[in-house]
Amino acid sequence: IIFNALRDSPTSNITTWDISFEDLGPEIAKPLAEYITVTGSLTKLDIASNKIGPEGAKEIAKSLLVTGSLTKLDISYNHIGPQGAKAIAEMLSVTGSLTSLDLRRNDIGPQGAKAIAEMLKVNAVLTTLDLSGNKLTNYGKDMTGIYAIADALKGNGVLTTLDLSRNHMGSEASKAIAK
């Protein structure tokens, strides 16, 4: 209800909005996304721990294609999985305002990591990325996502902060990232 009221308000000037840890669920993503598409003032959005899932992440990603004001997004702890990560990565491949993205603890796995890697090859704005605790290596069984990120970082001169902790990378993957 609040998103619809704000969406329809000609005087809404919210720049920073924290609605984290509210357990809003995936059904909240669509009205929130609609609000994001019409507001020109929102620069920071924290929707951590709301269980929006992959479908919710897709809705948020679509809205970010329209808005050019959002610079920081925290979508951590939302169970978005590889499909949600792919939607967010595709959005970041073509939009240029988001400089900080927190995707920690979303179980994006190696497939999500590969999608993020593809985005890192072309995104020239994102400076901070948190991918911690995402099972990027499937507990050391599949290193393809981490190696894809390592390869993408070779050509990315913009990213200054990257958190890959709690992903069971091991020494070989850590060496690949460090190169």
Side-chain angles (χ1 to χ4, degrees):
I1 295 173
I2 193 165
F3 304 118
N4 294 335
L6 287 170
R7 179 196 65 214
D8 298 337
S9 171
T11 58
S12 175
N13 285 328
I14 295 173
T15 59
T16 301
W17 199 358
D18 184 343
I19 51 174
S20 60
F21 297 91
E22 294 294 336
D23 290 327
L24 299 173
E27 60 277 353
I28 202 65
K30 187 167 180 133
L32 175 57
E34 289 172 357
Y35 171 70
I36 293 169
T37 61
V38 298
T39 183
S41 59
L42 190 63
T43 58
K44 297 176 186 165
L45 178 62
D46 186 344
I47 56 173
S49 195
N50 274 298
K51 300 178 184 169
I52 66 168
E55 293 306 314
K58 290 175 187 176
E59 289 293 333
I60 300 298
K62 282 192 280 187
S63 72
L64 296 176
L65 288 170
V66 177
T67 186
S69 62
L70 200 67
T71 59
K72 183 176 182 180
L73 175 62
D74 184 342
I75 194 169
S76 60
Y77 296 90
N78 269 298
H79 312 287
I80 68 170
Q83 298 85 9
K86 183 178 179 189
I88 298 289
E90 287 173 354
M91 173 272 302
L92 282 171
S93 294
V94 295
T95 189
S97 64
L98 207 63
T99 59
S100 177
L101 177 63
D102 188 341
L103 282 173
R104 88 193 113 116
R105 299 270 182 182
N106 270 302
D107 298 328
I108 69 172
Q111 295 305 314
K114 289 177 194 175
I116 297 294
E118 288 303 310
M119 174 274 297
L120 288 172
K121 290 179 183 178
V122 297
N123 183 287
V125 179
L126 192 68
T127 59
T128 302
L129 177 60
D130 189 339
L131 294 173
S132 61
N134 267 299
K135 302 175 186 167
L136 300 182
T137 67
N138 193 21
Y139 297 102
K141 297 174 192 164
D142 183 350
M143 305 305 272
T144 57
I146 286 292
Y147 290 143
I149 288 174
D151 185 56
L153 290 174
K154 292 176 186 174
N156 182 304
V158 179
L159 197 66
T160 58
T161 304
L162 175 63
D163 189 342
L164 294 172
S165 62
R166 296 182 308 278
N167 276 298
H168 306 278
M169 294 190 315
S171 61
E172 286 302 312
S174 296
K175 287 176 190 174
I177 293 291
K179 285 185 182 179

